[in-house]
Amino acid sequence: MAAIFQGVGAAATLSSSPSNSFVPKKFLTSPRRSFCVPSSVVVRSDGSVNFDLNSKSRRAQQLVANATKADSSAASSSSNPGHELLLFEALREGLEEEMERDPCVCVMGEDVGHYGGSYKVTKDLAKKFGDLRVLDTPIAENSFTGMGIGAAMTGLRPVVEGMNMGFLLLAFNQISNNCGMLHYTSGGQFTIPIVIRGPGGVGRQLGAEHSQRLESYFQSIPGIQMVACSTPYNAKGLMKAAIRSENPVILFEHVLLYNLKERIPDEDYICNLEEAEMVRPGEHVTILTYSRMRYHVMQAAKTLVNKGYDPEVIDIRSLKPFDLYTIGNSVKKTHRVLIVEECMRTGGIGASLTAAITENFNDYLDAPIMCLSSQDVPTPYAGTLEEWTVVQPAQIVTAVEQLCQ
Amino acid sequence: MASAFSAAKFSAQPFPLNHTSTTSHDSSIVFAKPTSLFLGSTRKLRLTSSSKFNLSRRSGTVDAVSDVVKQKKSKSSPSLLITKEEGLELYEDLVLGRAFEDMCAQMYYRGKMFGFVHLYNGQEAVSTGFIKLLKQQDSVVSTYRDHVHALSKGVPARAVMSELFGKTTGCCRGQGGSMHMFSREHNVLGGFAFIGEGIPIATGAAFTSKYKREVLKEADCDHVTLAFFGDGTCNNGQFFECLNMAALWKLPIVFVVENNLWAIGMSHLRATSDPQIYKKGPAFGMPGIHVDGMDVLKVREVAKEAIGRARRGEGPTLVECETYRFRGHSLADPDELRDPAEKAHYAARDPITALKKYLIENSLASEAELKTIEKKIDEVVEDAVEFADESPVPARSQLLENVFADPKGFGIGPDGRYRCEDPKFTEGTAHV
């Protein structure tokens, strides 16, 4: 059973799995980085995860991701059993822990306080921390995002929630001009340790405006980092890492993933913001994905395994910057790359990733990179049309078969 | 000399569109009691400890005009508004602002600075009147017309001039330029190129002040933030959104409108349905004050009250300063649209001349003392230019610095190391 290396601690020396080939060397030899300080490094002892769907979902979509290889080398399991929770609860736990740890961490957004967040990520936090630390804002995205940036410049560590990522388009002025730029234009005098987060992505017939993927719009902004979470484990880890980071970080969540259930460790951990996550090691083809498409890919992986293929699946997690080390190692091994994303094709994350891989690893490719993205259409309301807007597992299977000819 | 205040009244009549001047220039506001809310502010915010921030907007009438009309009673002898020390300090700051901006114009035409440079000539009374009342920990947020705000707040003239020359000794290492003056030490939070963009930042700084007092329990934290912006900005959404939030949470902020009647070539009257900006304060639950922005003493009196209000936790104030810029919008603006008569009218109300007259007539200073100050400022400005001239330009290695506070944000390179660990990285040879 492959030890899936989930958590990373640069400062902590690894006590387990020194032979794990997925451990980047730098974490074994360079103890200098004190930026993330987990109390322990956790290596998962088995690769299986179970996902329960929200019972309200109308379509019976199997999101089982039990296509990991069975390889139980050097797996040192943590002695704690961990605890099970849903993804939105994991986000809340991460947020709550950081708020307890640092009194300067605060939350701002619409309905985050008394309502508990439209997706319940901030449920009960206002009761615990007060109305000023979990601030219900009026409906003024541009201004309250700017307010968060001003607060970050003057010493606080705000977490700004966009009720839906699409609403942050209204805050684009502040995100682009101030969030990304002020550290630079001030000559390094002011830091902006802000986290901007919210649900995005195509949901269940939410209509065009509520189904947007903003990662492509934000990716060009210099000075920000972007990460996308996809499991309760990395949701909590990324939330904590983003809050602790001195850089402005945009954390993309997905509307359909909030009710995923997983068992996560009890101890304190973070997920490195700049690293990708190896989901399923393989030999034949590298499939790069993030957020919800990870589950479509894993579903397709089951079919592919039955057909005799051995796909390597990497959840890139860090949308900006890309983890070219993990990605590069994979490309050097498999020589074929398929990118599966929910972003639009034009100017999307996949487009940038294609360019980055071509520039850096062209010699290792046996075939042109394939990129499966959503159609460049405003997401239709009708269920059938909406289904065809995003990439489905069948398309992924076909693409891999094509790549591996 | 009699107090500079006189009673003034404001009518609530609709403003005719073709009116060529806004309000009478004798208008000035007096506040009846220093510790009470201004009249015209109708809010008593009930900040209950339970979870509700409830504002009962229906009680009482909303006055569209804040018209506090009372003669200020003299305390003892004919009350002067300032002491000699204060007077000289104000004068020096006004002259510094003027001399510096004039030198900027010179340097621009000599090719020492480039791009968009927006000069503050004529508006000095607003900057001096407000900022000289602040403490170091108070914050100032400005727009692209920010040189003098930075200088008034205490940023050395050398640092500002170097920044304008694009040298690495500038306050922002040459990376910001004319429109982005920042100083952590002096709490100047910018310098913003897009109008309205700084107002939410100022609101955030004020929020931090309130947070420190109420959440972090720093009981003596009474830092105030001043947001400076123009008449054009008052038609922008961010202005209104922030007025709402500041009043809602009683943030310690003062919104200072530098109404110089022109947004590049757009007259305020052609752009605004109701040109009386101060009236918009009470609509959000804060006092709205109009003051003669060409008179530094009047501005200072209003500022004292507004800043005092904020410090005491009574919430925000909207202050509209009627002022005028003697030069064009920027050094690239031919300034052809403004009526010469209008310019002459305001030139006659030059704030420096006015304060000089006040100081001399009230025997607070002699001509010689003022001349000494002017000479000193000339030397300061000359020295700033020399310093900027001799400073080095930024090296190539500076290009990628300061993009991220934590340079790990540049990511992990193909070799497995963080890009920033590459010794050549800051030379910009590492491709991102």
Side-chain angles (χ1 to χ4, degrees), chain B residues 101-103 105-106 109 119-122 145 324-331 333 335 338:
Chain B
E101 297 291 72
D102 281 340
M103 184 59 82
Q106 259 196 64
Y109 293 127
L119 298 181
Y120 201 70
N121 297 49
R145 207 177 295 281
Y324 202 76
R325 50 170 166 84
F326 293 160
R327 290 181 182 267
H329 163 75
S330 73
L331 289 173
D333 174 19
D335 194 16
R338 301 193 298 175

Side-chain angles (χ1 to χ4, degrees), chain B residues 144-354:
Chain B
Y144 43 72
R145 207 177 295 281
D146 56 352
H147 307 169
V148 178
H149 293 135
L151 292 171
S152 291
K153 192 66 171 56
V155 182
R158 282 183 160 194
V160 181
M161 193 59 85
S162 284
E163 184 62 32
L164 294 169
F165 282 28
K167 301 295 178 82
T168 185
T169 48
C171 54
C172 302
R173 308 181 78 201
Q175 290 166 192
S178 167
M179 299 185 279
H180 303 280
M181 291 293 166
F182 288 83
S183 168
R184 169 140 232 147
E185 188 192 336
H186 301 279
N187 287 300
V188 177
L189 303 181
F192 292 91
F194 288 17
I195 60 153
E197 209 174 48
I199 306 178
I201 301 288
T203 311
F207 179 80
T208 301
S209 174
K210 184 182 170 86
Y211 190 98
K212 281 186 178 161
R213 194 173 45 246
E214 295 183 16
V215 176
L216 302 180
K217 307 292 183 210
E218 292 173 25
D220 53 352
C221 179
D222 59 354
H223 305 159
V224 165
T225 306
L226 299 185
F228 291 92
F229 47 92
D231 44 285
T233 308
C234 296
N235 294 325
N236 188 275
Q238 287 170 105
F239 169 65
F240 296 109
E241 288 173 3
C242 289
L243 283 188
N244 179 41
M245 292 197 291
L248 190 61
W249 298 316
K250 270 196 174 170
L251 299 183
I253 185 172
V254 183
F255 296 100
V256 185
V257 182
E258 294 170 322
N259 184 351
N260 57 22
L261 300 177
W262 292 89
I264 307 187
M266 188 63 165
S267 152
H268 177 56
L269 303 169
R270 289 183 68 220
T272 317
S273 55
D274 184 348
Q276 292 175 299
I277 300 171
Y278 66 91
K279 279 208 237 164
K280 302 181 188 184
F284 288 93
M286 73 178 81
I289 316 297
H290 179 280
V291 68
D292 174 6
M294 304 304 281
D295 183 331
V296 68
L297 299 178
K298 290 181 186 160
V299 173
R300 191 178 153 91
E301 288 305 302
V302 168
K304 268 192 208 161
E305 184 60 36
I307 293 172
R309 246 178 70 83
R311 266 201 224 295
R312 292 188 297 269
E314 291 167 24
T317 313
L318 175 67
V319 181
E320 179 185 354
C321 303
E322 182 190 335
T323 182
Y324 202 76
R325 50 170 166 84
F326 293 160
R327 290 181 182 267
H329 163 75
S330 73
L331 289 173
D333 174 19
D335 194 16
E336 290 160 345
L337 281 178
R338 301 193 298 175
D339 186 4
E342 184 187 77
K343 293 189 208 179
H345 169 81
Y346 283 99
R349 291 162 58 187
D350 188 325
I352 295 178
T353 325

Side-chain angles (χ1 to χ4, degrees), chain A residues 10 24 26-27 30 32-33 35-36 102-106 108 114 129 131-133 135-156 173-174 177-178 180 182-192 222-225 245-248 272-275 320-326 329 332 359-361, chain B residues 50-53 139 163 171-173 175-177 180 182-185 187-192 194-212 214-216 236-239 241-242 244-245 248-249 251 398-421 431-432:
Chain A
K26 62 187 181 297
F27 297 107
S30 70
R32 311 193 288 283
R33 300 272 165 229
F35 136 81
C36 48
D102 182 354
C104 291
V105 179
C106 56
M108 300 175 184
H114 297 185
F129 295 108
D131 278 344
L132 211 54
R133 278 192 84 180
L135 186 73
D136 275 324
T137 61
I139 306 175
E141 277 80 7
N142 200 18
S143 293
F144 71 68
T145 306
M147 193 174 94
I149 295 168
M153 283 168 78
T154 44
L156 299 187
N173 176 26
Q174 290 291 338
N177 279 329
N178 287 343
L182 285 189
H183 184 70
Y184 194 79
T185 53
S186 69
Q189 290 181 86
F190 291 98
T191 55
I192 306 172
I224 58 159
Q225 283 187 248
S245 171
E246 294 303 312
N247 297 334
N272 211 335
L273 289 176
E274 297 87 21
E275 282 200 358
K320 178 176 152 86
F322 296 132
D323 177 2
L324 288 185
Y325 182 69
T326 310
N329 283 350
K332 290 174 189 173
E359 270 171 16
N360 287 287
F361 309 113
Chain B
S50 69
S51 347
K52 296 195 173 200
F53 276 69
S139 300
E163 184 62 32
C171 54
C172 302
R173 308 181 78 201
Q175 290 166 192
H180 303 280
F182 288 83
S183 168
R184 169 140 232 147
E185 188 192 336
N187 287 300
V188 177
L189 303 181
F192 292 91
F194 288 17
I195 60 153
E197 209 174 48
I199 306 178
I201 301 288
T203 311
F207 179 80
T208 301
S209 174
K210 184 182 170 86
Y211 190 98
K212 281 186 178 161
E214 295 183 16
V215 176
L216 302 180
N236 188 275
Q238 287 170 105
F239 169 65
E241 288 173 3
C242 289
N244 179 41
M245 292 197 291
L248 190 61
W249 298 316
L251 299 183
Q398 199 181 307
L399 182 66
L400 294 182
E401 292 169 14
N402 307 136
V403 177
F404 289 105
D406 179 358
K408 285 175 51 194
F410 282 113
I412 302 169
D415 62 355
R417 290 192 304 166
Y418 274 98
R419 291 181 198 277
C420 55
E421 289 174 24
H431 237 321
V432 182

Side-chain angles (χ1 to χ4, degrees), chain A residues 105-280:
Chain A
V105 179
C106 56
V107 182
M108 300 175 184
E110 295 159 7
D111 273 330
V112 296
H114 297 185
Y115 195 75
S118 51
Y119 290 93
K120 301 298 172 227
V121 173
T122 50
K123 185 159 183 265
D124 293 335
L125 291 185
K127 287 196 198 126
K128 181 170 176 183
F129 295 108
D131 278 344
L132 211 54
R133 278 192 84 180
V134 187
L135 186 73
D136 275 324
T137 61
I139 306 175
E141 277 80 7
N142 200 18
S143 293
F144 71 68
T145 306
M147 193 174 94
I149 295 168
M153 283 168 78
T154 44
L156 299 187
R157 305 186 79 92
V159 177
V160 173
E161 172 173 311
M163 191 188 271
N164 184 287
M165 267 291 175
F167 301 169
L168 292 181
L169 286 174
L170 292 152
F172 208 108
N173 176 26
Q174 290 291 338
I175 295 174
S176 169
N177 279 329
N178 287 343
C179 190
M181 288 195 196
L182 285 189
H183 184 70
Y184 194 79
T185 53
S186 69
Q189 290 181 86
F190 291 98
T191 55
I192 306 172
I194 194 175
V195 177
I196 298 174
R197 48 158 291 269
V202 176
R204 297 255 184 275
Q205 297 190 243
L206 300 179
E209 289 171 64
H210 283 82
S211 311
Q212 300 191 66
R213 284 79 73 200
L214 257 47
E215 47 273 22
S216 57
Y217 303 170
F218 288 138
Q219 68 173 323
S220 304
I221 300 173
I224 58 159
Q225 283 187 248
M226 307 200 308
V227 289
C229 62
S230 50
T231 66
Y233 183 88
N234 64 35
K236 180 176 175 184
L238 289 173
M239 169 74 93
K240 290 172 71 111
I243 292 174
R244 295 185 195 182
S245 171
E246 294 303 312
N247 297 334
V249 179
I250 304 185
L251 171 57
F252 289 91
E253 302 153 14
H254 197 287
V255 277
L256 291 182
L257 299 185
Y258 279 126
N259 289 307
L260 291 178
K261 193 188 283 194
E262 189 182 357
R263 185 165 288 274
I264 66 169
D266 290 326
E267 55 270 14
D268 195 53
Y269 72 92
I270 62 167
C271 289
N272 211 335
L273 289 176
E274 297 87 21
E275 282 200 358
E277 186 180 316
M278 177 66 69
V279 183
R280 180 193 189 281

